[in-house]
Amino acid sequence: MQRTPRRIATGLTALATTLLLSLSLSPTPAQAATHNPVVFVHGLSSSASSWDDWAGYFRTDGYSAGELDAWSFDWAQSNVTTAQQLATEIRNVLSRTGASKVDLVVHSMGTLSARYYLRNLGGTSYVDDFVSTAGVNHGTSTASWCAWLYTSCAEMNTGSSFLTSLNSGDETPGSVSYASYWSNCDDALTPDTTAILSGATNVEVGCVSHTDMNNDHGVYEQVRDFIG
């Protein structure tokens, strides 16, 4: 009878040890992303590399590489096709990161596929902030030089049926926060004010060239603060 309490004590010690080991070996739950992942969309005659500078700035300001997604696509194809591919890209980013929404940062013609995704493919459910830099939101007459060569270029030509449909009704649908940054000396956008979106935060950044709009550090800081 004297050994029973000792056996009980020994059993309790073993149980406690087992529980502690179980807790210490249990996998740590995946941590949610610190920021919304940023998905970058490039423009005509460009690629993912056009975002290298801004991706570097975002990393310097605390974003992880996994929170930054610049992808390349066939810029000559219809913006409708690119929008469908963008939808897949965003689903993959959300699955990989565990985030519920992304921030979309686009340049030039990239605004057309991104806005088509938001308007027609249910994108407003998966995007928190939308940022257009030098966006061809209402078309540009300079697209006439390539409209006969590329479907995408024809769609961004002023007065195209694609643009008429895209800009009919609400230009900033859903609960997404929209911003458009535009330059007053953008030779690629005629007129410069084509970049302005009704219902968005529209910011004239001064004289910045079209190709520098998604490289310029001052513009980057404004974009970072908008989506931050």
Side-chain angles (χ1 to χ4, degrees):
M1 297 295 295
Q2 293 180 352
R3 291 163 50 175
T4 301
R6 187 176 304 166
R7 287 176 180 170
I8 294 174
T10 301
L12 289 174
T13 300
L15 177 60
T17 302
T18 301
L19 288 173
L20 287 172
L21 284 172
S22 175
L23 290 172
S24 64
L25 293 175
S26 296
T28 302
Q31 303 228 341
T34 304
H35 312 93
N36 286 337
V38 180
V39 176
F40 300 99
V41 185
H42 63 75
L44 185 79
S45 190
S46 190
S47 69
S49 64
S50 65
W51 297 104
D52 286 353
D53 287 349
W54 276 23
Y57 298 153
F58 272 110
R59 287 194 297 271
T60 298
D61 287 335
Y63 281 71
S64 69
E67 293 170 331
L68 304 170
D69 183 69
W71 61 293
S72 294
F73 52 88
D74 178 5
W75 52 262
Q77 67 192 4
S78 169
N79 289 287
V80 175
T81 303
T82 301
Q84 294 165 345
Q85 293 172 348
L86 176 61
T88 299
E89 185 72 12
I90 288 175
R91 284 196 299 269
N92 290 340
V93 169
L94 293 176
S95 176
R96 173 173 53 80
T97 62
S100 58
K101 292 189 176 184
V102 303
D103 292 330
L104 263 179
V105 178
V106 308
H107 178 242
S108 190
M109 191 184 70
T111 194
L112 302 185
S113 57
R115 288 183 55 212
Y116 188 96
Y117 163 69
L118 290 167
R119 179 185 174 98
N120 299 307
L121 301 179
T124 55
S125 297
Y126 305 104
V127 175
D128 187 20
D129 300 307
F130 169 86
V131 174
S132 165
T133 61
V136 194
N137 287 304
H138 296 94
T140 176
S141 60
T142 59
S144 59
W145 72 268
C146 62
W148 63 281
L149 282 172
Y150 308 116
T151 301
S152 59
C153 198
E155 290 171 346
M156 72 173 181
N157 199 19
T158 303
S160 72
S161 58
F162 176 88
L163 287 170
T164 299
S165 176
L166 183 66
N167 291 314
S168 63
D170 189 0
E171 294 184 2
T172 51
S175 59
V176 179
S177 296
Y178 292 83
S180 179
Y181 296 84
W182 61 284
S183 165
N184 60 21
C185 68
D186 191 330
D187 290 339
L189 301 188
T190 306
D192 298 329
T193 52
T194 186
I196 292 175
L197 273 176
S198 177
T201 298
N202 293 288
V203 182
E204 181 185 342
V205 299
C207 185
V208 180
S209 75
H210 187 76
T211 54
D212 282 342
M213 278 292 286
N214 64 333
N215 292 306
D216 185 88
H217 192 269
V219 177
Y220 158 76
E221 290 180 322
Q222 295 182 69
V223 170
R224 175 203 61 200
D225 292 346
F226 181 80
I227 70 175

